[in-house]
Amino acid sequence: MNKFNLSKHIKSLYFRTTGYSYTNLGRLFLRLFVGIMLMQFGVRQIARFYEMRDVFPSVLGMGSETSLIVMICIELICSAFIMFGFLTRLMIIPPFLAMILAEYHLLHDYVGEAPYLLDWQQQGYLPIMFLGIYFFLMLVGPGKISVDYFLSLHIIHTENKSESELEEV
């Protein structure tokens, strides 16, 4: 009898850990994680602005200082919007493009060994990590724990439509 009870508890535990999905909570965590990670770069760049303004790479024909200001704005503003889940898919585009440019500059300006021999500890993998997270969030959306979802619910209710018309955000 005790063995049967233990088996029942093990099965219950197994189904609770594998059968349940916490996708919305997972999306919230990922949005907060990537937002905080990118935002801390912006805060560091503000703190060291006068040191970095002359050495920051010039991007798309903008000067070094202008490129740095644009990057700081992307890192702070877009990160905040992503963390709140407001205009998420739209706010992912600027940091996504910034990470493509960062990866290009890291590999293009790399002195020493060939870029494909980069070690996992070197900076070349950081923009790719951000690109992967942004691509994932672009595909799955912000989830139900987001301003986007609540605004969608508000719009649906004000237009007297049913929630079934709202696919998962």
Side-chain angles (χ1 to χ4, degrees):
M1 178 99 163
N2 195 11
K3 191 175 188 180
F4 175 72
N5 217 3
L6 180 63
S7 174
K8 184 179 176 182
H9 288 305
I10 290 174
K11 287 179 186 175
S12 174
L13 177 66
Y14 176 77
F15 286 124
R16 287 182 186 266
T17 58
T18 60
Y20 292 114
S21 178
Y22 303 102
T23 58
N24 293 305
L25 195 59
R27 291 180 206 181
L28 172 65
F29 169 78
L30 196 57
R31 285 194 342 260
L32 292 174
F33 173 77
V34 78
I36 290 169
M37 291 302 293
L38 190 63
M39 194 174 272
Q40 58 97 13
F41 285 111
V43 171
R44 287 181 188 179
Q45 289 171 343
I46 288 173
R48 297 179 49 214
F49 182 79
Y50 292 107
E51 299 169 30
M52 296 183 69
R53 69 180 176 180
D54 296 325
V55 295
F56 196 80
S58 179
V59 179
L60 301 175
M62 294 184 288
S64 182
E65 186 173 351
T66 306
S67 296
L68 179 59
I69 291 169
V70 169
M71 190 61 190
I72 290 171
C73 290
I74 288 171
E75 290 167 346
L76 296 178
I77 295 168
C78 292
S79 291
F81 275 65
I82 290 168
M83 289 187 327
F84 286 114
F86 182 56
L87 302 173
T88 307
R89 287 185 168 129
L90 186 63
M91 288 295 127
I92 285 174
I93 295 170
F96 189 86
L97 295 174
M99 289 302 126
I100 290 172
L101 289 170
E103 184 65 21
Y104 170 78
H105 280 286
L106 281 171
L107 295 178
H108 185 264
D109 299 337
Y110 188 73
V111 180
E113 298 178 31
Y116 56 84
L117 296 176
L118 284 174
D119 190 317
W120 68 271
Q121 297 171 338
Q122 293 168 318
Q123 295 177 357
Y125 287 104
L126 197 57
I128 292 175
M129 180 201 67
F130 277 104
L131 285 170
I133 294 171
Y134 289 136
F135 185 73
F136 176 78
L137 286 173
M138 185 72 84
L139 288 175
V140 299
K144 290 184 177 181
I145 310 172
S146 67
V147 174
D148 286 342
Y149 181 73
F150 292 118
L151 282 176
S152 298
L153 284 177
H154 175 71
I155 292 168
I156 283 175
H157 288 297
T158 56
E159 294 178 359
N160 293 323
K161 295 183 180 179
S162 71
E163 289 183 29
S164 64
E165 293 183 37
L166 175 65
E167 292 185 21
E168 190 169 334
V169 177

